[in-house]
Amino acid sequence: MGDEPTVPVRCEECGTETRVPLTDVADAIERHNTNRHDGEQVAGVDEAVREHIADLAANDLGLTD
């Protein structure tokens, strides 16, 4: 992982949470959901983190001015 930022990925159905490097988040979620839940979208990034990232993106795009 090194210095790369990590993101918490949670699966409430499995009762698991892990931190994944930001660049690997989409692949890790897809792999978990495919292997454990027959492709159903169960695991994902914590909602609070998703909202924070969306807020940061909106600020960067000037949508909050």
Side-chain angles (χ1 to χ4, degrees):
M1 277 189 247
D3 294 335
E4 186 175 2
T6 60
V7 177
V9 174
R10 176 178 294 154
C11 180
E12 291 190 19
E13 190 169 305
C14 290
T16 59
E17 182 174 320
T18 188
R19 295 192 70 83
V20 178
L22 184 59
T23 56
D24 298 334
V25 169
D27 290 337
I29 291 171
E30 182 178 356
R31 186 172 47 253
H32 176 89
N33 287 330
T34 297
N35 293 336
R36 303 282 185 190
H37 307 292
D38 295 324
E40 185 179 342
Q41 298 300 306
V42 178
V45 175
D46 182 78
E47 186 171 338
V49 173
R50 284 195 319 260
E51 289 175 8
H52 184 69
I53 292 169
D55 289 344
L56 291 172
N59 285 338
D60 284 350
L61 294 171
L63 301 175
T64 58
D65 296 335

